[in-house]
Short mmCIF file of all heavy atoms in Angstrom, two decimals:
data_model
loop_
_atom_site.label_atom_id
_atom_site.label_comp_id
_atom_site.label_asym_id
_atom_site.label_seq_id
_atom_site.Cartn_x
_atom_site.Cartn_y
_atom_site.Cartn_z
N VAL M 245 -142.38 111.29 35.87
CA VAL M 245 -141.86 110.05 35.32
C VAL M 245 -142.86 109.02 35.24
O VAL M 245 -143.06 108.28 34.32
CB VAL M 245 -140.61 109.66 36.09
CG1 VAL M 245 -140.09 108.33 35.50
CG2 VAL M 245 -139.46 110.61 35.95
N ARG M 246 -143.61 108.87 36.38
CA ARG M 246 -144.69 107.88 36.48
C ARG M 246 -145.79 108.04 35.39
O ARG M 246 -146.40 107.11 34.88
CB ARG M 246 -145.32 107.89 37.81
CG ARG M 246 -144.37 107.49 38.97
CD ARG M 246 -144.11 106.03 39.05
NE ARG M 246 -145.35 105.29 39.52
CZ ARG M 246 -145.40 103.92 39.62
NH1 ARG M 246 -144.35 103.27 39.32
NH2 ARG M 246 -146.51 103.40 40.03
N ALA M 247 -146.02 109.35 35.07
CA ALA M 247 -147.02 109.72 34.13
C ALA M 247 -146.46 109.60 32.65
O ALA M 247 -147.29 109.74 31.74
CB ALA M 247 -147.54 111.09 34.37
N GLY M 248 -145.28 109.40 32.50
CA GLY M 248 -144.68 109.32 31.23
C GLY M 248 -144.37 110.63 30.62
O GLY M 248 -143.97 110.73 29.36
N ASP M 249 -144.36 111.71 31.36
CA ASP M 249 -144.11 113.05 30.89
C ASP M 249 -142.63 113.30 31.01
O ASP M 249 -142.23 114.07 31.99
CB ASP M 249 -145.07 114.14 31.60
CG ASP M 249 -145.00 115.45 30.88
OD1 ASP M 249 -144.10 115.65 30.05
OD2 ASP M 249 -145.76 116.28 31.23
N LEU M 250 -141.77 112.78 30.17
CA LEU M 250 -140.40 112.92 30.42
C LEU M 250 -139.81 114.29 30.08
O LEU M 250 -138.70 114.70 30.66
CB LEU M 250 -139.68 111.83 29.50
CG LEU M 250 -140.03 110.37 29.85
CD1 LEU M 250 -139.20 109.41 29.02
CD2 LEU M 250 -139.83 110.16 31.36
N ASP M 251 -140.51 115.06 29.21
CA ASP M 251 -140.10 116.48 29.04
C ASP M 251 -140.14 117.25 30.33
O ASP M 251 -139.29 117.97 30.72
CB ASP M 251 -140.90 117.17 27.94
CG ASP M 251 -140.43 116.58 26.59
OD1 ASP M 251 -139.35 116.00 26.37
OD2 ASP M 251 -141.27 116.63 25.65
N LYS M 252 -141.24 117.12 30.98
CA LYS M 252 -141.50 117.79 32.29
C LYS M 252 -140.59 117.27 33.34
O LYS M 252 -140.02 118.04 34.06
CB LYS M 252 -142.92 117.56 32.71
CG LYS M 252 -143.25 118.29 34.06
CD LYS M 252 -144.68 118.05 34.45
CE LYS M 252 -144.95 118.74 35.86
NZ LYS M 252 -146.35 118.58 36.25
N ALA M 253 -140.41 116.02 33.27
CA ALA M 253 -139.41 115.39 34.28
C ALA M 253 -137.96 115.91 34.09
O ALA M 253 -137.30 116.32 35.04
CB ALA M 253 -139.34 113.87 34.15
N GLN M 254 -137.51 116.09 32.83
CA GLN M 254 -136.28 116.55 32.58
C GLN M 254 -136.13 118.03 33.01
O GLN M 254 -135.09 118.43 33.55
CB GLN M 254 -136.00 116.54 31.03
CG GLN M 254 -134.65 116.95 30.66
CD GLN M 254 -133.50 116.07 31.10
OE1 GLN M 254 -133.48 114.82 30.82
NE2 GLN M 254 -132.49 116.53 31.83
N HIS M 255 -137.08 118.82 32.67
CA HIS M 255 -137.15 120.23 33.17
C HIS M 255 -137.02 120.29 34.70
O HIS M 255 -136.24 121.11 35.22
CB HIS M 255 -138.40 120.85 32.67
CG HIS M 255 -138.47 122.34 33.21
ND1 HIS M 255 -137.83 123.43 32.65
CD2 HIS M 255 -139.30 122.90 34.24
CE1 HIS M 255 -138.15 124.47 33.27
NE2 HIS M 255 -139.08 124.22 34.23
N LEU M 256 -137.74 119.55 35.41
CA LEU M 256 -137.75 119.55 36.89
C LEU M 256 -136.34 119.07 37.35
O LEU M 256 -135.83 119.71 38.32
CB LEU M 256 -138.80 118.62 37.42
CG LEU M 256 -140.26 119.15 37.27
CD1 LEU M 256 -141.22 117.98 37.49
CD2 LEU M 256 -140.56 120.24 38.34
N TYR M 257 -135.83 118.11 36.68
CA TYR M 257 -134.49 117.66 37.17
C TYR M 257 -133.42 118.63 36.96
O TYR M 257 -132.45 118.86 37.76
CB TYR M 257 -134.13 116.26 36.34
CG TYR M 257 -132.67 115.93 36.53
CD1 TYR M 257 -132.34 115.36 37.78
CD2 TYR M 257 -131.73 116.02 35.55
CE1 TYR M 257 -130.98 114.90 37.99
CE2 TYR M 257 -130.45 115.54 35.75
CZ TYR M 257 -130.11 115.05 36.98
OH TYR M 257 -128.77 114.74 37.23
N ASP M 258 -133.49 119.31 35.74
CA ASP M 258 -132.50 120.39 35.40
C ASP M 258 -132.54 121.45 36.43
O ASP M 258 -131.57 122.05 36.79
CB ASP M 258 -132.72 120.97 34.04
CG ASP M 258 -132.34 119.92 32.90
OD1 ASP M 258 -131.65 118.90 33.18
OD2 ASP M 258 -132.85 120.02 31.77
N ASP M 259 -133.82 121.82 36.94
CA ASP M 259 -133.96 122.84 37.95
C ASP M 259 -133.34 122.35 39.38
O ASP M 259 -132.84 123.21 39.98
CB ASP M 259 -135.36 123.14 38.06
CG ASP M 259 -135.73 124.21 39.16
OD1 ASP M 259 -135.12 125.25 39.07
OD2 ASP M 259 -136.49 123.92 40.09
N LEU M 260 -133.56 121.11 39.65
CA LEU M 260 -133.12 120.52 40.94
C LEU M 260 -131.65 120.22 41.04
O LEU M 260 -131.02 120.28 42.05
CB LEU M 260 -133.88 119.30 41.26
CG LEU M 260 -135.27 119.43 41.96
CD1 LEU M 260 -135.95 118.16 42.06
CD2 LEU M 260 -135.06 120.03 43.40
N LYS M 261 -131.05 119.92 39.84
CA LYS M 261 -129.72 119.36 39.81
C LYS M 261 -128.64 120.16 40.52
O LYS M 261 -127.85 119.59 41.24
CB LYS M 261 -129.25 119.09 38.38
CG LYS M 261 -127.91 118.48 38.27
CD LYS M 261 -127.69 117.83 36.79
CE LYS M 261 -127.76 118.92 35.78
NZ LYS M 261 -127.47 118.40 34.41
N PRO M 262 -128.53 121.51 40.41
CA PRO M 262 -127.52 122.25 41.09
C PRO M 262 -127.66 122.06 42.64
O PRO M 262 -126.63 121.96 43.31
CB PRO M 262 -127.76 123.72 40.63
CG PRO M 262 -128.39 123.59 39.34
CD PRO M 262 -129.27 122.41 39.47
N LEU M 263 -128.86 122.10 43.16
CA LEU M 263 -129.11 121.86 44.59
C LEU M 263 -128.72 120.60 45.05
O LEU M 263 -128.03 120.25 46.06
CB LEU M 263 -130.57 122.13 44.91
CG LEU M 263 -130.91 121.99 46.48
CD1 LEU M 263 -130.11 122.97 47.37
CD2 LEU M 263 -132.42 122.12 46.66
N LEU M 264 -129.12 119.44 44.20
CA LEU M 264 -128.82 118.14 44.49
C LEU M 264 -127.27 117.90 44.61
O LEU M 264 -126.74 117.27 45.46
CB LEU M 264 -129.43 117.18 43.59
CG LEU M 264 -130.90 117.18 43.42
CD1 LEU M 264 -131.43 116.15 42.38
CD2 LEU M 264 -131.55 116.85 44.78
N ARG M 265 -126.56 118.35 43.62
CA ARG M 265 -125.11 118.29 43.67
C ARG M 265 -124.50 119.02 44.86
O ARG M 265 -123.57 118.54 45.46
CB ARG M 265 -124.54 118.75 42.30
CG ARG M 265 -124.97 117.94 41.16
CD ARG M 265 -124.04 118.17 39.91
NE ARG M 265 -124.37 117.26 38.88
CZ ARG M 265 -123.94 116.08 38.73
NH1 ARG M 265 -123.17 115.49 39.72
NH2 ARG M 265 -124.25 115.26 37.70
N PHE M 266 -125.02 120.15 45.22
CA PHE M 266 -124.44 120.93 46.31
C PHE M 266 -124.59 120.19 47.57
O PHE M 266 -123.57 120.11 48.36
CB PHE M 266 -125.13 122.28 46.38
CG PHE M 266 -124.57 123.16 47.40
CD1 PHE M 266 -123.47 123.98 47.13
CD2 PHE M 266 -125.06 123.25 48.74
CE1 PHE M 266 -122.87 124.91 48.20
CE2 PHE M 266 -124.53 124.00 49.71
CZ PHE M 266 -123.46 124.83 49.44
N ILE M 267 -125.78 119.72 47.80
CA ILE M 267 -125.97 119.10 49.19
C ILE M 267 -125.20 117.81 49.31
O ILE M 267 -124.87 117.41 50.42
CB ILE M 267 -127.54 118.88 49.50
CG1 ILE M 267 -128.14 117.91 48.50
CG2 ILE M 267 -128.12 120.23 49.50
CD1 ILE M 267 -129.61 117.56 48.93
N VAL M 268 -125.09 117.07 48.16
CA VAL M 268 -124.22 115.87 48.22
C VAL M 268 -122.75 116.15 48.39
O VAL M 268 -122.07 115.60 49.26
CB VAL M 268 -124.44 115.04 46.92
CG1 VAL M 268 -123.41 113.88 46.90
CG2 VAL M 268 -125.80 114.52 46.95
N ASP M 269 -122.23 117.19 47.63
CA ASP M 269 -120.86 117.46 47.67
C ASP M 269 -120.46 118.09 49.01
O ASP M 269 -119.30 117.91 49.52
CB ASP M 269 -120.46 118.45 46.58
CG ASP M 269 -120.52 117.78 45.23
OD1 ASP M 269 -120.57 116.50 45.14
OD2 ASP M 269 -120.46 118.42 44.15
N GLY M 270 -121.33 118.84 49.67
CA GLY M 270 -121.03 119.50 50.88
C GLY M 270 -121.34 118.71 52.11
O GLY M 270 -121.17 119.21 53.28
N GLY M 271 -121.91 117.46 51.93
CA GLY M 271 -122.32 116.63 53.13
C GLY M 271 -123.72 116.87 53.52
O GLY M 271 -124.13 118.01 53.81
N LEU M 272 -124.59 115.94 53.43
CA LEU M 272 -126.01 116.06 53.52
C LEU M 272 -126.39 116.66 54.89
O LEU M 272 -127.19 117.68 54.95
CB LEU M 272 -126.70 114.68 53.39
CG LEU M 272 -126.57 114.16 51.99
CD1 LEU M 272 -127.19 112.67 51.90
CD2 LEU M 272 -127.38 114.96 51.00
N ALA M 273 -125.85 116.22 56.02
CA ALA M 273 -126.33 116.82 57.32
C ALA M 273 -125.91 118.18 57.37
O ALA M 273 -126.70 119.09 57.91
CB ALA M 273 -125.65 115.97 58.43
N THR M 274 -124.73 118.54 56.94
CA THR M 274 -124.20 119.93 57.02
C THR M 274 -125.02 120.81 56.13
O THR M 274 -125.50 121.89 56.66
CB THR M 274 -122.67 119.93 56.64
OG1 THR M 274 -121.89 119.16 57.56
CG2 THR M 274 -122.21 121.39 56.57
N THR M 275 -125.21 120.50 54.92
CA THR M 275 -125.84 121.38 53.94
C THR M 275 -127.38 121.50 54.22
O THR M 275 -127.94 122.68 54.09
CB THR M 275 -125.61 120.95 52.51
OG1 THR M 275 -126.00 119.56 52.32
CG2 THR M 275 -124.13 121.10 52.15
N VAL M 276 -128.01 120.33 54.62
CA VAL M 276 -129.43 120.40 54.78
C VAL M 276 -129.71 121.23 56.04
O VAL M 276 -130.71 122.05 56.07
CB VAL M 276 -130.07 119.08 54.92
CG1 VAL M 276 -131.49 119.06 55.30
CG2 VAL M 276 -129.88 118.34 53.52
N LYS M 277 -128.98 121.04 57.07
CA LYS M 277 -129.25 121.90 58.28
C LYS M 277 -129.01 123.41 57.98
O LYS M 277 -129.79 124.27 58.44
CB LYS M 277 -128.24 121.42 59.45
CG LYS M 277 -128.83 120.10 60.05
CD LYS M 277 -127.89 119.74 61.25
CE LYS M 277 -128.62 118.52 61.86
NZ LYS M 277 -127.90 118.07 63.13
N ALA M 278 -127.97 123.73 57.20
CA ALA M 278 -127.72 125.11 56.82
C ALA M 278 -128.96 125.62 56.01
O ALA M 278 -129.42 126.82 56.27
CB ALA M 278 -126.49 125.33 56.05
N GLY M 279 -129.41 124.74 55.04
CA GLY M 279 -130.50 125.21 54.18
C GLY M 279 -131.84 125.42 54.96
O GLY M 279 -132.50 126.42 54.78
N LEU M 280 -132.10 124.52 55.92
CA LEU M 280 -133.34 124.75 56.81
C LEU M 280 -133.15 126.11 57.57
O LEU M 280 -134.12 126.87 57.63
CB LEU M 280 -133.48 123.59 57.75
CG LEU M 280 -133.92 122.26 57.14
CD1 LEU M 280 -133.83 121.12 58.12
CD2 LEU M 280 -135.35 122.45 56.74
N ASP M 281 -132.00 126.35 58.05
CA ASP M 281 -131.78 127.63 58.78
C ASP M 281 -132.08 128.88 57.83
O ASP M 281 -132.72 129.85 58.26
CB ASP M 281 -130.36 127.69 59.28
CG ASP M 281 -130.17 128.92 60.16
OD1 ASP M 281 -130.97 129.27 61.13
OD2 ASP M 281 -129.16 129.64 59.80
N LEU M 282 -131.53 128.69 56.56
CA LEU M 282 -131.74 129.75 55.63
C LEU M 282 -133.20 129.97 55.20
O LEU M 282 -133.63 131.09 54.86
CB LEU M 282 -130.91 129.53 54.42
CG LEU M 282 -129.28 129.77 54.59
CD1 LEU M 282 -128.59 129.12 53.36
CD2 LEU M 282 -129.01 131.17 54.85
N LEU M 283 -133.93 128.90 55.36
CA LEU M 283 -135.37 128.94 55.06
C LEU M 283 -136.22 129.34 56.22
O LEU M 283 -137.46 129.24 56.13
CB LEU M 283 -135.92 127.56 54.49
CG LEU M 283 -135.31 127.14 53.17
CD1 LEU M 283 -135.59 125.68 52.93
CD2 LEU M 283 -135.80 127.98 52.03
N GLY M 284 -135.60 129.69 57.33
CA GLY M 284 -136.41 130.10 58.54
C GLY M 284 -136.75 129.00 59.43
O GLY M 284 -137.74 129.21 60.22
N PHE M 285 -136.19 127.83 59.27
CA PHE M 285 -136.46 126.66 60.15
C PHE M 285 -135.12 126.28 60.85
O PHE M 285 -134.57 125.28 60.46
CB PHE M 285 -137.11 125.58 59.36
CG PHE M 285 -137.65 124.43 60.15
CD1 PHE M 285 -139.01 124.36 60.47
CD2 PHE M 285 -136.86 123.45 60.64
CE1 PHE M 285 -139.56 123.37 61.28
CE2 PHE M 285 -137.37 122.39 61.40
CZ PHE M 285 -138.71 122.35 61.76
N PRO M 286 -134.81 126.94 61.86
CA PRO M 286 -133.43 126.56 62.52
C PRO M 286 -133.48 125.12 63.03
O PRO M 286 -134.40 124.69 63.77
CB PRO M 286 -133.40 127.58 63.70
CG PRO M 286 -134.27 128.69 63.26
CD PRO M 286 -135.37 128.03 62.53
N ALA M 287 -132.52 124.35 62.63
CA ALA M 287 -132.37 122.94 63.05
C ALA M 287 -131.00 122.61 63.72
O ALA M 287 -130.69 121.49 63.82
CB ALA M 287 -132.62 122.05 61.82
N GLY M 288 -130.29 123.66 64.10
CA GLY M 288 -129.13 123.46 64.79
C GLY M 288 -127.96 122.99 63.88
O GLY M 288 -128.01 122.99 62.67
N ASP M 289 -126.79 122.64 64.41
CA ASP M 289 -125.65 122.33 63.80
C ASP M 289 -125.46 120.83 63.73
O ASP M 289 -126.02 120.07 64.51
CB ASP M 289 -124.41 122.95 64.39
CG ASP M 289 -124.37 124.49 64.45
OD1 ASP M 289 -124.93 125.00 63.41
OD2 ASP M 289 -123.81 125.09 65.27
#
Side-chain angles (χ1 to χ4, degrees):
V245 175
R246 295 284 290 179
D249 191 346
L250 298 185
D251 288 339
K252 180 179 180 180
Q254 184 68 57
H255 175 75
L256 289 161
Y257 172 70
D258 291 341
D259 178 57
L260 274 170
K261 184 165 59 174
L263 177 64
L264 297 179
R265 292 196 177 279
F266 183 88
I267 63 175
V268 171
D269 292 344
L272 292 171
T274 296
T275 54
V276 171
K277 285 185 173 182
L280 285 168
D281 184 55
L282 290 168
L283 291 172
F285 189 96
D289 294 332

